[in-house]
Amino acid sequence: LGFPTAPGVLRKLPRGRMQGAQDEDPDDPLTTLLEHGMGIRTDSMDLQNDPRFFQGNVIDKRFAAFGALSVISSIMVGLALEEAYSMRKDIVLPSVMGIAQLVGFVLMEMVLCLNLAATYTAVAQTYHTYRLMTAGPTGFEAAASYYLNRHIAFWRHLAVKSMLFGFPVLMVATGIRLAIKTEKDYFDAHFEFEKISIESNSKAYEHVEVQATFLGLTTFVCFLLFAFGMLYISKKHLRIFRERYNLIPEQDRPIRQHVISAGHRRRVGFLEV
């Protein structure tokens, strides 16, 4: 098949270059092994340049907000992983300090798991939805069916709740970590500075210990109050959202009833237009 163009710019394309070229490619042993052994597909959906793909729809609006979830969740995954990895593991049980360290570590791991699941759900559902949407003329209907599936909706809602619930949990875990670190650093600094007097006087040792404990508890209480504040903000937003969402059917009902009654209205005489 030749193309009328300037000489030497485009040459005659080999047969099968455009269509069926994948069938003429030589087999790659690694690709064949992974395809049959691990179930990795080597084919893809057909590419159809449907003009409707370039128009916005309601699913685009939904996933524009859902995409921000994956960004925030991925940031929290990195933060929780870094904090959990750098946390000191010299836990002595059943002491109060050891229990606090263990609780902080468990809460940080909870934040990691919640946001990791939320990140995967957001990425997977966005990818699957847009693949279905661009699969063909009925792609939007297929994507809408996938989006409204009860299992897909469950994991999507769980991902949002996990990310939102991860914020106060992160605050509590951070408060525990900072409280322990503040108490240790304060005690170590004063112990080194007043080493002779503390070793010779047990009251001075107890006084520094009480100061360090009070400073650590103050730090934890501040973060705990902030975590409760975030829960209050979340509940307030959710309550107002549900109120406005429940108003939509009530406001739409008169319009829908009017449209239905107008469509079934009895016609009298001849239709002029």
Side-chain angles (χ1 to χ4, degrees):
L1 177 63
F3 292 88
T5 180
V9 177
L10 289 177
R11 296 184 177 181
K12 186 177 181 180
L13 292 176
R15 182 175 299 176
R17 186 70 172 180
M18 299 291 289
Q19 299 179 352
Q22 66 275 14
D23 297 332
E24 298 181 3
D25 291 338
D27 292 335
D28 184 6
L30 179 60
T31 304
T32 304
L33 177 62
L34 295 178
E35 179 183 5
H36 296 286
M38 300 181 61
I40 301 178
R41 296 169 51 190
T42 57
D43 58 339
S44 183
M45 293 182 177
D46 294 337
L47 295 178
Q48 300 182 11
N49 195 24
D50 196 322
R52 294 179 300 172
F53 296 160
F54 302 98
Q55 299 177 1
N57 53 60
V58 65
I59 297 182
D60 288 333
K61 308 296 183 182
R62 297 282 183 90
F63 275 100
F66 198 53
L69 167 68
S70 62
V71 176
I72 299 175
S73 298
S74 60
I75 294 175
M76 293 185 66
V77 166
L79 177 62
L81 186 61
E82 181 180 358
E83 291 296 323
Y85 183 78
S86 60
M87 184 183 300
R88 295 183 60 179
K89 309 302 187 300
D90 52 345
I91 301 176
V92 180
L93 295 176
S95 62
V96 177
M97 187 68 67
I99 295 175
Q101 286 180 298
L102 181 61
V103 172
F105 179 77
V106 171
L107 290 178
M108 197 64 69
E109 292 298 319
M110 183 185 300
V111 173
L112 174 63
C113 295
L114 290 175
N115 286 275
L116 190 61
T119 302
Y120 173 80
T121 302
V123 173
Q125 292 198 14
T126 302
Y127 173 71
H128 292 160
T129 301
Y130 280 108
R131 283 200 69 186
L132 291 172
M133 191 183 303
T134 57
T138 59
F140 176 80
E141 287 72 18
S145 177
Y146 173 84
Y147 181 85
L148 297 176
N149 182 274
R150 60 186 300 268
H151 301 287
I152 300 301
F154 167 79
W155 288 108
R156 184 169 59 252
H157 295 161
L158 181 62
V160 176
K161 291 182 180 295
S162 298
M163 193 266 299
L164 296 178
F165 182 71
F167 281 109
V169 176
L170 179 64
M171 288 296 101
V172 175
T174 305
I176 294 176
R177 284 209 59 197
L178 284 180
I180 296 174
K181 182 174 178 55
T182 301
E183 181 177 354
K184 285 185 175 182
D185 291 348
Y186 184 88
F187 184 82
D188 293 342
H190 283 73
F191 182 79
E192 292 294 334
F193 183 74
E194 304 174 2
K195 184 174 181 180
I196 300 178
S197 60
I198 289 178
E199 289 179 346
S200 59
N201 191 353
S202 60
K203 292 185 178 180
Y205 180 89
E206 294 177 357
H207 180 68
V208 173
E209 187 177 13
V210 170
Q211 289 180 344
T213 303
F214 175 78
L215 187 60
L217 288 177
T218 303
T219 303
F220 172 71
V221 170
C222 291
F223 275 84
L224 185 63
L225 292 176
F226 188 66
F228 280 114
M230 295 189 67
L231 284 175
Y232 173 79
I233 295 173
S234 177
K235 289 184 177 296
K236 180 69 69 173
H237 280 78
L238 185 60
R239 182 182 64 83
I240 298 176
F241 169 77
R242 287 176 176 174
E243 290 178 356
R244 299 302 181 268
Y245 185 80
N246 293 330
L247 287 176
I248 295 177
E250 298 179 2
Q251 296 175 350
D252 291 346
R253 188 177 296 111
I255 300 176
R256 287 181 293 165
Q257 290 178 352
H258 173 74
V259 172
I260 294 174
S261 62
H264 294 82
R265 187 176 300 168
R266 181 178 175 182
R267 295 192 181 96
V268 179
F270 295 98
L271 186 64
E272 296 180 354
V273 179

